[in-house]
Amino acid sequence: MQFKISKELLEQIEQLIHQKNDKELEVLLNDMHHADIAEIFDELNIEEATYIFKILDSEITAEILLELEDDVREKILHGLSAKEIAEELDELDTDDAADIIAELSQSKKEEVISELEDVEHAKDIVDLLRYDEDTAGGLMGKEMVKVNENWNVLTCVKEMRIQAEHVTRVHSIYVVDDENRLKGRLSLKDLLTTSTKTPISDVYIKKVDYVKVDTPNTDVARIMQKYDLEAIPVVDEMGRLVGRVTIDDIVDVIKEEADKDYQMAAGITQDVEAGDSVFELIKARLPWLLIGMAIEIVASFVLKGNEVAFQKYTTLIIFVPLLSATAGNIGVQASAIVVQGLANGSLKEFSKNYFKKELIVAMISGTIISLFILLFHSIMYQQYQVGIAISTSIIVVILFAATLGTLVPLFLHRNKIDPAIATGPFITTTNDVFGIIIYFAIARLILGF
Amino acid sequence: MQFKISKELLEQIEQLIHQKNDKELEVLLNDMHHADIAEIFDELNIEEATYIFKILDSEITAEILLELEDDVREKILHGLSAKEIAEELDELDTDDAADIIAELSQSKKEEVISELEDVEHAKDIVDLLRYDEDTAGGLMGKEMVKVNENWNVLTCVKEMRIQAEHVTRVHSIYVVDDENRLKGRLSLKDLLTTSTKTPISDVYIKKVDYVKVDTPNTDVARIMQKYDLEAIPVVDEMGRLVGRVTIDDIVDVIKEEADKDYQMAAGITQDVEAGDSVFELIKARLPWLLIGMAIEIVASFVLKGNEVAFQKYTTLIIFVPLLSATAGNIGVQASAIVVQGLANGSLKEFSKNYFKKELIVAMISGTIISLFILLFHSIMYQQYQVGIAISTSIIVVILFAATLGTLVPLFLHRNKIDPAIATGPFITTTNDVFGIIIYFAIARLILGF
């Protein structure tokens, strides 16, 4: 059941392309799932991919388009005329078609729209282009089955059979009034188990979850997950039913959000991936590197200012990397737990109980680590007072890092900034600077240099 | 449409509980979604939550159980008798019921199973308990609509009406032979649009995606996402249809995987969250802190060994934090992109092209940073040769960190170890040690100390 591209398969396909053996290619590819063909496309060069694209049926190629890597799709679309693109889009659901059109240049966009054959479909797609891609409007599709509350089940079933022809998956049947305002829903199960003579108004469920066109996509995801929905209707400002969002779109939103948090923690600002260009990769990465550099220049001043101290007690300076790493690690751990707590709703704002718990965790971890260091330093260097200075300051720095790690994401969240930033390079390097300052201050207190 | 717990609502509920005003409570809560009531439960103390639990209908409470935080559910279940738990489970789908039973102690587990009223349901639940929770078997439920290939559509529709009574959501209709072997599927849409007189063998789709009971849950997630499925049938070793996995379970798998990667990057080994105990938090965090500490002790030896160098050229030592941070940042960036590439399949193994690109990114970023440092050092300290030594070694260390960051996750992946480890403390601290070694080696070459 699992498809894997083999070298042999790729070679066979490339050979058939060079022989222009369209028949064999069709036989070979027609048996494959479009998602698998898309994977093959990602491996071929653009001429080869375009060649295959043109011999396959538009029913399949339209689906392939959706599955391709962004850059491969862009190149393939570039090689197609507006009419050819329009043919692909005619096969797709409105939301998918709108997503692809949105990637085109303004002039090509208009050309393609004018070439769409199905006028209703074209109108729906144009309508969808109006919405911000990060909202329910940007996620929704127009394909759905809706019935009027004034019908009876018989009319309803007849109408539904017609509508269902255009809908790939029937999730729910929405009930609207004469003004197209969302009134409720009818489950498919009800349809299977209710007699056809019942009037709609008797059977429909008046309670229905919905979102508005401008609801942020992450909220839509949260709502659909929380209430375990596979589709949710979308209404406009007047409460009129304008579309529906399905769970597969939400899976993408969830993955994107998770990827973004992960990248933020790794110090990458934009949604880049292995396939992106050197320029895009640098654009996403260099800013954080430079911010980190600037903050660490401050650290160099702090060290320079304590030159006398570590000229006298060398072991002070050799534990600075350990201090930085430990503080950084504990700070990132603390932030990550807060960031995930905020994301899944288990943490909503500053909680004294949680903060207390974090400090206890830091205190215990810090004590264990600093006892190790004290022991190690005493055995290796026999300067007990310096050892005590180092291990004491390590505890304090760890407590400080845990505090910063807990409070910063909460502060960012309260100020509507993505708290995931707090697990990135900005905080780890800031932690470094404060850590080194605290370290030498405490050492000074104990050793009196 | 968005539910938010207000302080007033919580106070009102608590007051009604203390007044033992069951009627008012029922009126208030019956109007709410079970997921919302679960959120309220998470805020109440356990006596209050249990009080409400016992006055609500088991149809609602069973759903609430599923939505609760793990620790709250555990406490509530603890306060219920085996018979009471069995009543809840009778209301649930087999997969959800099995998940809850799996959390009970061995003795309670058996008691609860013996109290289940619906024998068929009980058999299905017990069957599900056999499977590893990280496999398709552990995810699947027994509720599905299946028809025999030898029936005609009329018999089929009649049978389906009966079966659909037990199935919350009808995703697909599976077609089996007399031995219960999966033969194909029938779409609901076909059902709506096909005449009832057609024989099943004429209409069913012979191509059907499926997974085996022992397919890992992450593979199930990948397959369902790739082929855009809302449900997938699960077969045993003999190809017999034993259950189905639905997309909502997959959403959970995807989130858990993403959370795990994020935590791994933050140096947290287990799936912990803000609500966990101090002990659990320390268990998940301390190991990484200790590993980081051990590796940084090596760094302290390297610094100690270079004491002569930085006693002579102080500015060498004051840029060590900058060096560590920059190398750490670029290493984590490189790893994160590889880890995500491996996860989404855009990177499958070592790719010379990608590695070259990463080195170019590192080279350009490194050159920019090192020119900054050279300029800064020249202005501040006027020791040009030391400045050149520092900035040259920074470039080399950055290239090294990018190499390690790219190769380590690929190496881990090839050896079936989770590559996400490579974005965690282990790599950043290892990077530190190597970075410091390289730094002083190059400085020695240039300055000749």
Side-chain angles (χ1 to χ4, degrees), chain B residues 170-210:
Chain B
V170 181
H171 287 93
S172 232
I173 301 137
Y174 301 120
V175 181
V176 293
D177 65 11
D178 290 335
E179 310 296 328
N180 193 31
R181 280 186 296 240
L182 181 66
K183 302 302 280 186
R185 67 188 169 85
L186 211 56
S187 79
L188 265 172
K189 200 179 136 189
D190 293 337
L191 192 86
L192 280 171
T193 51
T194 307
S195 134
T196 48
K197 278 151 206 155
T198 332
I200 289 290
S201 47
D202 276 14
V203 286
Y204 87 81
I205 305 152
K206 284 182 186 69
K207 220 172 152 173
V208 57
D209 295 309
Y210 62 86

Side-chain angles (χ1 to χ4, degrees), chain A residues 1-3 31 33 35-36 39 67 69 161 164-165 167-169 171 188-189 191-193 207 209-210 219 222-223 225-230 247-248 251 254-255 258-259 261-263 265-268 273-276 278 281-282 285-286 289-290 293 296-297 300-301 303-304 307 310-311 314 317-318 321-322 325 329-330 332-334 336-337 339-340 344 347 354 357-358 360-361 364-365 368-369 372 376 380-381 423 425 429, chain B residues 1-3 31 33 35-36 39 67 161 164-165 167-169 171 188-189 191-193 207 209-210 219 222-223 225-228 230 247-248 251 254-255 258-259 261-263 265-268 273-276 278 281-282 285-286 289-290 293 296-297 300-301 303-304 307 310-311 314 317-318 321-322 325 329-330 332-334 336-337 339-340 344 346-348 354 357-358 360-361 364-365 368-369 372 376 380-381 423 425 429:
Chain A
M1 153 80 234
Q2 293 210 34
F3 172 82
D31 217 36
H33 192 283
D36 295 329
E39 272 191 13
E67 304 287 337
E69 302 275 330
R161 286 193 181 214
E165 285 283 358
V167 181
T168 324
R169 283 169 189 155
H171 287 93
L188 265 173
K189 197 179 140 189
L191 191 85
L192 280 171
T193 51
K207 220 172 153 176
D209 295 309
Y210 62 87
D219 284 353
R222 226 175 18 76
I223 292 167
Q225 268 185 279
K226 179 175 167 188
Y227 298 115
D228 219 0
L229 307 171
E230 300 202 337
I247 186 85
D248 53 317
V251 169
I254 292 169
K255 279 207 68 161
D259 282 356
D261 279 3
Y262 183 68
Q263 295 199 322
I268 303 173
E273 49 177 19
D276 286 338
V278 167
L281 287 169
I282 289 183
R285 293 166 59 171
L286 190 58
L289 295 174
L290 291 178
M293 181 193 78
E296 293 292 355
I297 281 182
S300 79
F301 283 123
L303 286 182
K304 184 79 188 161
E307 204 174 338
F310 64 76
Q311 298 273 6
T314 338
I317 192 85
I318 67 172
L322 186 144
N329 287 343
I330 208 150
V332 169
Q333 287 178 339
I337 292 176
V339 168
Q340 292 200 320
N344 67 29
L347 215 65
Y354 175 68
K357 193 159 65 180
E358 175 60 33
I360 295 172
V361 171
I364 295 174
S365 309
I368 294 173
I369 289 169
F372 263 116
F376 172 78
M380 283 298 300
Y381 306 111
T423 49
T429 48
Chain B
M1 154 77 233
Q2 294 210 34
F3 171 82
D31 218 36
H33 192 283
D36 295 329
E39 271 189 16
E67 303 288 336
R161 287 194 181 212
E165 285 284 357
V167 181
T168 324
R169 282 169 189 155
H171 287 93
L188 265 172
K189 200 179 136 189
L191 192 86
L192 280 171
T193 51
K207 220 172 152 173
D209 295 309
Y210 62 86
D219 283 353
R222 224 173 22 74
I223 291 168
Q225 268 185 280
K226 178 173 168 188
Y227 298 115
D228 220 0
E230 300 201 337
I247 186 86
D248 53 316
V251 169
I254 292 169
K255 280 207 68 164
D259 283 357
D261 278 3
Y262 183 67
Q263 293 198 323
I268 303 172
E273 49 176 19
D276 286 338
V278 168
L281 287 169
I282 289 183
R285 293 165 60 172
L286 190 57
L289 295 174
L290 292 178
M293 181 194 79
E296 293 292 355
I297 282 182
S300 79
F301 282 123
L303 286 182
K304 184 78 186 160
E307 205 174 337
F310 64 76
Q311 297 274 7
T314 339
I317 193 85
I318 68 173
L322 186 144
N329 288 343
I330 208 149
V332 169
Q333 287 178 339
I337 293 176
V339 168
Q340 291 201 321
N344 67 28
S346 71
L347 215 64
K348 276 168 199 90
Y354 174 69
K357 193 159 65 180
E358 175 59 34
I360 295 173
V361 171
I364 295 175
S365 308
I368 294 173
I369 288 169
F372 263 116
F376 172 78
M380 281 298 299
Y381 306 110
T423 51
T429 48

